[in-house]
Amino acid sequence: MFRGLFQYVDSNSPIHRLNPQVKLLMLLPVLLLAIAANGIVTLLFVFAFVLSLYLLARIPRSRYRAILIIGLFSSLSFFFFGMFFYFGFYQHPEGTITILTWIFRPEQAESMPILGPFLLWLTGGRGIVIAQEGLVWGTVTTLKFSIALFSSNLMIMTTKPKEILLSLSKIGIPVKITFVAMTALRFVPVVMEEYYTIMNAQQARGLKIKKLNPKSIFEGLTTTLTTLIVNIIKRARILALAMETRGFGAKVQKVSYEELKMTPRDKTLTAVIFAATVTIIILMLFYPYHTGFTL
Amino acid sequence: MASILSTENLYYTHPGATQYALKNINLEVKEGDFTLIAGPTGSGKSTLALCLTGLIPQVIVGDMKGTVLVDGKDTRQYEVYQMAQYIGLVFQNAENQLCALDVEDEIAFGPRHLNLSKEETEARVENTLRLMQLEQFRDRDPQTLSRGQKIGLAVASVLSMKPKVLILDEPTLGQDSSRINSLVSMLKTMSKEGLAIVVITHDINFAAEHASRVVVIDNGKILLDGEPHMVLSQEEVLHSASLEPPGSVRLSKLLGLPPMLTVDEISKALQNREEAGG
């Protein structure tokens, strides 16, 4: 299901040809907006911008599946959480938020055996409501998360891992840290492959997973994941030992000798990105309510 | 030839264990030696390899007694990355030790950590690619290579550091015979150039005919150590260590000949006998 998530897709689109450092820089204003902006319209606009870059990158449709599943699942969980358990309702007295309907009133607790007192205990005696602010919070959080997920995934899908490593160390991030990050990324397919092998082997030995039974899924996952985690730890240990015998840990002046060239177009784009970032920061500081930013 | 790797009264106990994993290992490897360390699974062969490279006691804890000298340097006194330029180790599971994003980078990993110049690093990468016949894969992701190619790449990534001793842990596992043969012939060339090679295996037939020396280990102790003909003729000792001597040894015994390791040797001996007798 998750084959192809966070993996490079080879193509020759305008996004692929862009200098990796510029791409990395482009994440800056996008992520800044995702973190700081709270207006739905602003966030929708940014999300649409990220999606348009996907179209420009000509990513084959089959590679969307994993990210759509993750995006949808996380969106739904944020949305439902905001809908039913909006924190504002529990933090502030009644009247400061707009309650649309009551799902569970504290008075109802007596008429519901077991569940009633439990819900009362869970909600600190306040009950459950659907509030307008909760719906807004759910939508905003969903958008923020989706922007971060889709934009970083696009970066990884359109940039060769080697180029990411190179541009990260160019920015001045220590080699050891970039190395750890890249190793984690590059072993994703290996670990996924191993997960399928373990699962197939266990199914061949009679493990039955009923797809719609949560208990069965949980049992299947625990047996498979235990084996998988043990294998990953073993693998990581060997990798660490092997790297140590190949000199990892020695002080190195320069790890890579390759250069990244900035074309005039890259330079212009860098200037535009910088200008956009500065504009966003100014808007956030001086016009928070007009633009939907609240810091 | 000068001794390049030696152990003296080496004892090792795994953390928490009560029994020795290695008992009184005295080993000496000279420049250009092709040594085969054979033993059944769990006999302590791989632990010995970890001791020889200095991973024990520098990285892996446990109780180690005795000394290991690589090129005259005590492994206790140097970090593993400092020893890396003298001794290289290819681990049992090749794909677990590949860490770079393409084949060229994988081979350049070692030389770069030795702080070599750009030109020197490139020259070493080219040489090693040619030596291991990996030239056409230079831009491939190591994880997409076949199993045999991964083993070749793991060997290449160690060879590019130009160590004085090369240890290979079970290099024959999962390889077809043509790849094994080309690996053996490559190792032989390297050993003629002065590289000391230590092959750890449970398959005593592998390279028995090429090795200049065979060491048999069982239960952490050295049972036999010497010239291959001498070691492989000791059938009872080998059987006690769950090792099967090559069929040619038994055949030569049945024919009333001294122990022989290859069919060629036997046919030559038979010819000689006929000529002498005829």
Side-chain angles (χ1 to χ4, degrees), chain A residues 248-267:
Chain A
F248 195 74
K251 280 202 178 70
V252 184
Q253 271 97 37
K254 211 173 174 195
V255 165
S256 188
Y257 299 100
E258 281 141 280
E259 295 290 326
L260 290 170
K261 285 200 186 74
M262 292 280 267
T263 61
R265 207 185 61 165
D266 290 331
K267 280 178 189 161

Side-chain angles (χ1 to χ4, degrees), chain A residues 161-162 165 179 186-187 190 235 237-239 241-253 255 257, chain B residues 55 59-60 80-81 84 91 96-102 105-106 109-110 112-113 115-116 141 143 157 161:
Chain A
K162 205 172 164 182
L165 197 65
F179 192 87
R186 81 169 276 69
F187 277 99
V190 180
R235 188 190 288 274
R237 178 173 171 272
I238 297 291
L239 184 70
L241 291 181
M243 282 167 51
E244 196 115 13
T245 58
R246 279 159 65 194
F248 195 74
K251 280 202 178 70
V252 184
Q253 271 97 37
V255 165
Y257 299 100
Chain B
L55 282 168
V59 178
I60 301 169
V80 178
Y81 64 79
F91 285 79
N96 286 357
Q97 53 186 300
L98 303 176
C99 56
L101 300 165
D102 62 39
D105 259 9
E106 190 71 62
F109 185 97
R112 276 175 192 162
H113 281 92
N115 264 327
L116 298 174
D141 177 349
Q143 301 293 343
S157 66
M161 300 183 79

Side-chain angles (χ1 to χ4, degrees), chain B residues 196-272:
Chain B
I197 290 168
V198 178
V199 175
I200 292 172
T201 181
H202 69 279
D203 174 14
I204 205 160
N205 287 310
F206 166 76
E209 51 186 293
H210 308 287
S212 57
R213 174 178 170 203
V214 177
V215 179
V216 176
I217 290 189
D218 192 21
N219 284 327
K221 268 193 301 200
I222 293 184
L223 295 184
L224 295 167
D225 179 359
E227 199 272 330
H229 289 86
M230 188 280 283
V231 169
L232 295 180
S233 62
Q234 316 253 352
E235 269 184 90
E236 289 88 51
V237 187
L238 289 180
H239 278 300
S240 78
S242 320
L243 293 170
E244 188 65 39
S248 51
V249 174
R250 268 186 72 199
L251 181 62
S252 53
K253 221 177 215 176
L254 288 174
L255 291 169
L257 293 167
M260 306 211 160
L261 301 180
T262 60
V263 178
D264 290 344
E265 271 181 57
I266 294 178
S267 80
K268 205 181 259 175
L270 283 178
Q271 256 172 12
N272 285 345

Side-chain angles (χ1 to χ4, degrees), chain A residues 167-184:
Chain A
S167 44
L168 282 176
S169 55
K170 266 270 170 72
I171 297 175
I173 294 171
V175 177
K176 275 194 181 171
I177 292 175
T178 51
F179 192 87
V180 168
M182 286 317 298
T183 312

Side-chain angles (χ1 to χ4, degrees), chain A:
Chain A
M1 180 162 75
F2 296 120
R3 281 179 219 229
L5 183 72
F6 294 134
Q7 271 178 62
Y8 176 66
V9 182
D10 203 19
S11 170
N12 192 23
S13 75
I15 304 281
H16 281 79
R17 281 187 308 242
L18 214 58
N19 185 307
Q21 278 170 289
V22 178
K23 263 186 271 186
L24 208 61
L25 201 66
M26 209 143 114
L27 276 179
L28 186 73
V30 172
L31 291 181
L32 192 69
L33 277 169
I35 292 166
N38 283 324
I40 290 184
V41 181
T42 320
L43 287 170
L44 271 177
F45 185 73
V46 178
F47 192 45
F49 171 69
V50 174
L51 288 184
S52 67
L53 291 182
Y54 265 77
L55 291 181
L56 209 60
R58 290 188 219 127
I59 307 280
R61 214 170 276 172
S62 58
R63 307 301 288 265
Y64 283 108
R65 216 180 133 201
I67 191 158
L68 282 181
I69 290 171
I70 292 190
L72 200 70
F73 188 74
S74 51
S75 304
L76 283 178
S77 42
F78 282 128
F79 191 75
F80 280 115
F81 191 79
M83 190 160 140
F84 293 120
F85 299 103
Y86 180 54
F87 51 86
F89 174 66
Y90 302 104
Q91 278 171 357
H92 307 296
E94 247 171 272
T96 48
I97 62 164
T98 330
I99 293 170
L100 298 178
T101 59
W102 278 88
I103 301 270
F104 173 73
R105 285 175 195 275
E107 304 91 82
Q108 288 173 290
E110 278 170 28
S111 58
M112 295 164 80
I114 306 171
L115 187 66
F118 175 71
L119 283 179
L120 210 58
W121 169 77
L122 196 71
T123 57
R126 303 227 34 191
I128 299 170
V129 291
I130 293 181
Q132 193 184 327
E133 285 83 353
L135 293 179
V136 173
W137 181 88
T139 316
V140 165
T141 313
T142 298
L143 280 171
K144 280 168 180 268
F145 185 78
S146 305
I147 291 168
L149 179 74
F150 277 74
S151 58
S152 46
N153 187 52
L154 182 69
M155 169 83 199
I156 290 164
M157 274 183 159
T158 58
T159 320
K160 285 189 181 128
K162 205 172 164 182
E163 291 179 335
I164 299 184
L165 197 65
L166 210 58
S167 44
L168 282 176
S169 55
K170 266 270 170 72
I171 297 175
I173 294 171
V175 177
K176 275 194 181 171
I177 292 175
T178 51
F179 192 87
V180 168
M182 286 317 298
T183 312
L185 262 188
R186 81 169 276 69
F187 277 99
V188 168
V190 180
V191 169
M192 287 323 292
E193 209 53 53
E194 195 154 311
Y195 170 75
Y196 285 111
T197 312
I198 294 169
M199 211 163 76
N200 293 343
Q202 291 189 340
Q203 281 172 346
R205 274 153 55 198
L207 179 81
K208 270 186 209 132
I209 299 177
K210 292 176 200 135
K211 280 214 166 147
L212 291 172
N213 184 342
K215 195 181 161 227
S216 164
I217 290 174
F218 179 74
E219 277 172 3
L221 272 182
T222 38
T223 44
T224 316
L225 286 185
T226 315
T227 324
L228 185 67
I229 289 168
V230 170
N231 284 358
I232 291 172
I233 293 171
K234 273 189 193 162
R235 188 190 288 274
R237 178 173 171 272
I238 297 291
L239 184 70
L241 291 181
M243 282 167 51
E244 196 115 13
T245 58
R246 279 159 65 194
F248 195 74
K251 280 202 178 70
V252 184
Q253 271 97 37
K254 211 173 174 195
V255 165
S256 188
Y257 299 100
E258 281 141 280
E259 295 290 326
L260 290 170
K261 285 200 186 74
M262 292 280 267
T263 61
R265 207 185 61 165
D266 290 331
K267 280 178 189 161
T268 325
L269 210 53
T270 309
V272 172
I273 293 167
F274 260 117
T277 313
V278 171
T279 319
I280 290 166
I281 292 173
I282 291 173
L283 282 174
M284 275 175 353
L285 291 177
F286 295 104
Y287 304 98
Y289 296 106
H290 297 282
T291 46
F293 298 118
T294 43
L295 271 174

